[in-house]
Amino acid sequence: MATQADITAMRRAIALAARGLGSTSPNPVVGCVVTDASGRPVGEGWHQRAGGPHAEVHALRAAGEQARGGTAYVTLEPCNHTGRTGPCAQALIEAGVARVVYAVGDPNPQATGGADTLRAAGIQVGQGLLEAEAETGNLAWLTSVRRGRPFVRWKYAATLDGRIAAADGTSRWISSADSRADVHRLRAEADAVVVGSGTARADDPHLAVRGVEGAVQPLRVVVDTEATAVKPGARVLDDSAPTLIAVAEDAETTLTDVVRLPRAERGLDVTALLDALHTRGVRSVLLEGGPTLAGAFLAAGAVDQVVGYLAPVLLGAGPAALADAGITTITDALRLDVTETVRIGPDIRITATPVVTTPKGA
């Protein structure tokens, strides 16, 4: 049974893991705390960047000889394979720790098995401590491994009556400066930011991260089916961050950074787009597109989390946050589980995830 000291150490490891958000892809975020034989914290670390030392290695280096006979608390099962770095399970064995406690089992078939390796070496292994908290912190990577596509977070800002712009098309600014700054944090955590041709035409968006120290710029993606929305000189084509324009297979364009995808009933095939991004190492997507693109992603079952910024504003007319998502009756409505509500300046940020329903007869 976990002690309060175990819980405290793992919670610290979860907090450390969060420091790697946005800089470790295609790897997970991982945190580690090492205590000595008496239970005193002597080392900690987190996975800081892809290709660099893993969290366990950082923590063991900090602990040195004091790790011998101690405990390592890790948010994800220690890896068991050699990639750009060596297996963490072996590093823990060589450090002489007596016990390893991890929160979440590694679903990656190439890296799993670390727990068995540790047990075979005579190390006591515990699993599942604060599993739900650690899962939440590593949601994007875990989703990408389990589903074989990038995790998709749909973000939008709207008035309390659900409008994203006024009847004349003006939309700056519905949400507050505080909310807009928070969106840059979401961008910094994502591998790619995706918008559609409507947003590209209306706003000429830049899509790069601003105001977040040390941020790794995400890939900027514009879904421009007919290759007519992004023109030379567009802000998204500057050198602030990498850019990819998704166009139809038969579209004519002079742009070079493009990916050609099959058409769908409306626009491009969302599944093909996500497959193309996954192939490029994208494990998390921030969907900032307008109502049409959001509807296409929802219709494809490709939204894993919704983040809505609701401003204390009423318009009464204007486009809604979501267009046709293939839902025609209330019984088919996509139900959401609200996981967080936070005040951001004068606005409310609501985070929710689709409710997974079990088909009849399953």
Side-chain angles (χ1 to χ4, degrees):
M1 183 175 180
T3 66
Q4 186 57 52
D6 291 333
I7 293 171
T8 298
M10 185 62 78
R11 191 155 282 145
R12 173 60 179 166
I14 292 170
L16 289 167
R19 297 185 183 183
L21 285 169
S23 62
T24 66
S25 190
N27 295 344
V29 293
V30 183
C32 178
V33 170
V34 174
T35 61
D36 64 14
S38 67
R40 182 174 61 92
V42 291
E44 60 180 33
W46 69 95
H47 187 36
Q48 299 175 13
R49 61 179 178 81
H54 290 187
E56 296 94 323
V57 173
H58 282 298
L60 290 171
R61 285 176 180 172
E65 281 299 311
Q66 297 178 92
R68 194 163 298 278
T71 299
Y73 299 87
V74 196
T75 57
L76 185 69
E77 179 184 359
C79 67
N80 198 44
H81 79 300
T82 300
R84 285 186 282 182
T85 62
C88 291
Q90 188 60 40
L92 290 162
I93 293 169
E94 292 173 358
V97 300
R99 178 173 172 245
V100 173
V101 179
Y102 66 89
V104 180
D106 194 333
N108 183 353
Q110 293 181 321
T112 192
D116 291 338
T117 297
L118 292 168
R119 290 190 184 98
I123 294 175
Q124 180 185 349
V125 178
Q127 63 189 68
L129 179 61
L130 301 186
E131 183 175 13
E133 289 184 33
E135 283 247 3
T136 298
N138 218 3
L139 183 60
W141 182 83
L142 288 168
T143 299
S144 72
V145 172
R146 291 166 178 165
R147 300 190 179 181
R149 63 157 174 81
F151 166 84
V152 177
R153 171 183 283 147
W154 171 40
K155 160 264 162 188
Y156 70 94
T159 63
L160 280 184
D161 56 339
R163 309 293 177 175
I164 61 168
D168 65 356
T170 56
S171 60
R172 295 186 178 181
W173 294 105
I174 285 177
S175 60
S176 66
D178 301 270
S179 290
R180 298 195 298 276
D182 195 60
V183 169
H184 281 278
R185 176 188 61 81
L186 295 184
R187 285 183 183 176
E189 293 180 2
D191 296 336
V193 178
V194 178
V195 300
S197 57
T199 299
R201 289 192 185 92
D203 300 335
D204 187 21
H206 192 226
L207 302 181
V209 177
R210 299 189 301 275
V212 179
E213 186 177 353
V216 176
Q217 291 291 346
L219 175 68
R220 300 176 293 187
V221 181
V222 180
V223 180
D224 186 9
T225 305
E226 305 300 340
T228 57
V230 180
K231 301 183 182 300
R235 298 173 69 214
V236 78
L237 297 178
D238 70 9
D239 59 2
S240 298
T243 300
L244 183 68
I245 312 300
V247 303
E249 292 171 321
D250 56 350
E252 295 184 6
T253 179
T254 58
L255 298 175
T256 55
D257 295 323
V258 301
V259 58
R260 295 185 177 276
L261 300 172
R263 292 178 181 269
E265 184 177 342
R266 294 171 296 169
L268 297 179
D269 186 307
V270 170
T271 299
L273 171 63
L274 292 175
D275 286 345
L277 293 177
H278 195 264
T279 299
R280 286 168 167 76
V282 171
R283 298 296 179 263
S284 60
V285 164
L286 180 63
L287 178 61
E288 291 196 41
T292 300
L293 190 61
F297 268 73
L298 281 166
V303 172
D304 303 298
Q305 188 181 73
V306 179
V307 178
Y309 294 85
L310 299 183
V313 177
L314 298 174
L315 284 173
L322 182 64
D324 182 9
I327 300 169
T328 58
T329 179
I330 193 65
T331 57
D332 293 336
L334 180 61
R335 304 290 176 176
L336 304 175
D337 176 27
V338 175
T339 57
E340 183 185 52
T341 57
V342 178
R343 185 78 176 259
I344 305 289
D347 306 330
I348 299 292
R349 186 187 71 206
I350 298 178
T351 303
T353 56
V355 175
V356 178
T357 57
T358 303
K360 294 180 179 179

